[in-house]
Amino acid sequence: MRRIRFYFFIIFFVITGSGCGDRSKEAISDQTISNITEQEDGSIILNLKEAYLLQDSLNPEMNTAEWSLIIKNRGRYELWISSFTKDTMDLKYDSPVIVNFGDKKISANPVGNEIVLNAPDTGEIYFRADSKLGSVYVDKPGNYNVQVVSANVRDIRDNGSLAGTMHTQMRSLILKPMTE
């Protein structure tokens, strides 16, 4: 009798475990999370094209981009979101962008602190606006996982059909080292 209950429990667990999960979430990227390293000036650019993307069709504000990166130097880094937009005075981020950096969480509304003139790849109708979200302190060099959650996280690898229709396109997360 115990054996029958045990097998029943195992079968029940397998059936309910395989049926669970949110099927509204669709993985966009087939590529694995790649390792990204610092540039010569110490900054780190995390492009959406290189991210592992997760789209949530039922809750687009939960769209996620993830990166795995190597940081060589300890210190404080400013976090900037780089966006292509039609109007630099109103980026139209309807909800805050959430950045999870290791065990730290930063939530902020991008406002376009810096406008980058003549940025490549903006096209004729877009301007580049960089928005400061906050900063994080890296105590130890090493591997870190970074996650950005926002409705503006969209797959930009194949946006030919969307080009010109979106008001603002998030392009990258930039980590800029701060001088000590």
Side-chain angles (χ1 to χ4, degrees):
M1 186 67 168
R2 279 187 162 159
R3 192 178 294 197
I4 293 172
R5 277 192 232 158
F6 175 74
Y7 288 126
F8 177 77
F9 176 75
I10 296 296
I11 291 170
F12 177 77
F13 179 76
V14 169
I15 290 172
T16 58
S18 65
C20 292
D22 187 358
R23 297 193 193 283
S24 66
K25 296 180 180 177
E26 303 133 17
I28 296 295
S29 175
D30 292 333
Q31 70 187 92
T32 59
I33 298 175
S34 62
N35 283 326
I36 299 168
T37 57
E38 295 179 21
Q39 297 184 3
E40 288 181 22
D41 66 354
S43 65
I44 302 169
I45 300 174
L46 305 172
N47 291 307
L48 281 183
K49 289 180 181 181
E50 299 163 355
Y52 175 79
L53 299 176
L54 183 67
Q55 294 285 144
D56 189 335
S57 57
L58 296 178
N59 300 307
E61 65 277 359
M62 298 305 294
N63 290 351
T64 305
E66 296 183 33
W67 300 268
S68 177
L69 62 126
I70 298 170
I71 296 182
K72 297 177 186 175
N73 301 308
R74 61 176 259 177
R76 184 157 296 278
Y77 289 82
E78 290 180 333
L79 302 176
W80 291 75
I81 288 287
S82 182
S83 305
F84 288 179
T85 183
K86 292 180 180 181
D87 181 3
T88 58
M89 297 298 288
D90 182 11
L91 300 184
K92 294 201 185 288
Y93 277 84
D94 296 329
S95 58
V97 173
I98 300 168
V99 178
N100 294 306
F101 188 97
D103 61 349
K104 298 164 185 81
K105 180 178 179 178
I106 294 177
S107 179
N109 285 319
V111 295
N113 301 89
E114 292 182 3
I115 308 306
V116 180
L117 301 175
N118 301 322
D121 301 328
T122 54
E124 295 177 10
I125 61 171
Y126 287 110
F127 302 95
R128 179 175 155 190
D130 291 352
S131 305
K132 183 179 176 183
L133 301 180
S135 67
V136 294
Y137 183 74
V138 175
D139 189 33
K140 297 178 189 175
N143 293 325
Y144 288 87
N145 292 323
V146 178
Q147 183 183 67
V148 174
V149 181
S150 172
N152 286 53
V153 171
R154 297 184 193 106
D155 190 8
I156 59 174
R157 285 174 279 238
D158 183 30
N159 66 352
S161 62
L162 296 175
T165 61
M166 292 186 293
H167 184 277
T168 299
Q169 302 175 23
M170 183 186 300
R171 303 303 275 198
S172 60
L173 176 68
I174 304 170
L175 284 74
K176 297 180 182 180
M178 297 175 68
T179 57
E180 293 184 355

